[in-house]
Amino acid sequence: KPELIKNNISMVDLGYDYSAAIDTKGNLYTWGNNIYGQLGTKNNADSLTPVKILNNVNYVSLGSNHFGAITKDNELYTWGNNQFGELGDKTITARNEPVKVADNVKYISMGSHTSLAISLDDTLYTWGNNSYGFYLGDGTRTDRNAIPTIDKPKTGSTISTQNIETDSTGVSLTAADEMLIKEPVIND
């Protein structure tokens, strides 16, 4: 029988063995397995019940063991496993609390060890695992551990994102929509 966990929920998502929910006030809650810190609780202890992590959250995407959240101010926070740089924080160090990695982000999708973001000007950015050369779409087999600086949008630029589909292997488009994949610029 389904169990009532929390009321006033506006969004949910599932990772490999952990979960998240955003309530109608923008509070983000996580629970489940936390071996890589993917719950964002500042420790690696599992949680059997929802724990509040952030407020002002608009959207989340859970990868296998890494997490991304976009605030209502279009800031991107990531945490969890970072074996291939999938957090975009210029390291390969796992994080057990949210780390701000970008501004001006409106959509994200986290895969197995790969991350994607669409900026406010509808540009697609990819980072993380690229060992076989087809995860990031940048024409290389180079893992990327940094999300490039995402600029504020130029006025008047729009693109439909309704036909973008993601899975653990990367991005594909249905129909004939175009997408721009920028190679990340790593600033030290």
Side-chain angles (χ1 to χ4, degrees):
K1 172 182 170 188
E3 184 72 27
L4 175 63
I5 304 300
K6 198 149 195 52
N7 289 315
N8 301 313
I9 299 300
S10 62
M11 182 182 178
V12 295
D13 200 13
L14 299 171
Y16 179 68
D17 50 7
Y18 68 111
S19 306
I22 302 171
D23 69 17
T24 54
K25 294 180 180 179
N27 297 308
L28 171 63
Y29 298 87
T30 63
W31 64 96
N33 184 339
N34 199 25
I35 191 169
Y36 297 103
Q38 63 265 39
L39 297 184
T41 57
K42 299 181 182 179
N43 62 53
N44 288 49
D46 297 344
S47 179
L48 301 177
T49 58
V51 177
K52 184 179 172 186
I53 305 302
L54 286 173
N55 56 22
N56 199 36
V57 176
N58 189 50
Y59 186 84
V60 296
S61 178
L62 282 61
S64 292
N65 292 298
H66 72 293
F67 198 116
I70 300 173
T71 67
K72 293 178 181 178
D73 298 321
N74 301 101
E75 298 170 328
L76 173 59
Y77 289 82
T78 61
W79 60 94
N81 190 15
N82 201 21
Q83 180 179 356
F84 296 95
E86 54 264 45
L87 298 184
D89 66 352
K90 300 181 183 179
T91 75
I92 55 169
T93 303
R95 307 283 181 192
N96 62 14
E97 64 182 308
V99 175
K100 182 180 170 186
V101 295
D103 292 302
N104 304 310
V105 177
K106 71 175 181 180
Y107 181 81
I108 52 171
S109 183
M110 306 306 202
S112 180
H113 291 286
T114 304
S115 303
L116 304 140
I118 298 175
S119 65
L120 292 175
D121 71 353
D122 299 313
T123 302
L124 175 64
Y125 296 86
T126 64
W127 65 97
N129 182 14
N130 202 30
S131 56
Y132 296 105
F134 51 79
Y135 296 126
L136 301 184
D138 64 359
T140 74
R141 291 185 178 189
T142 303
D143 296 341
R144 307 283 182 196
N145 67 1
I147 183 171
T149 301
I150 298 178
D151 298 323
K152 290 186 177 179
K154 300 170 188 78
T155 57
S157 62
T158 60
I159 186 171
S160 169
T161 57
Q162 67 186 10
N163 293 328
I164 293 179
E165 295 179 3
T166 62
D167 61 24
S168 63
T169 63
V171 168
S172 61
L173 290 179
T174 61
D177 288 355
E178 294 181 3
M179 81 178 160
L180 174 63
I181 301 175
K182 280 190 176 180
E183 182 174 337
V185 177
I186 300 173
N187 300 319
D188 293 328

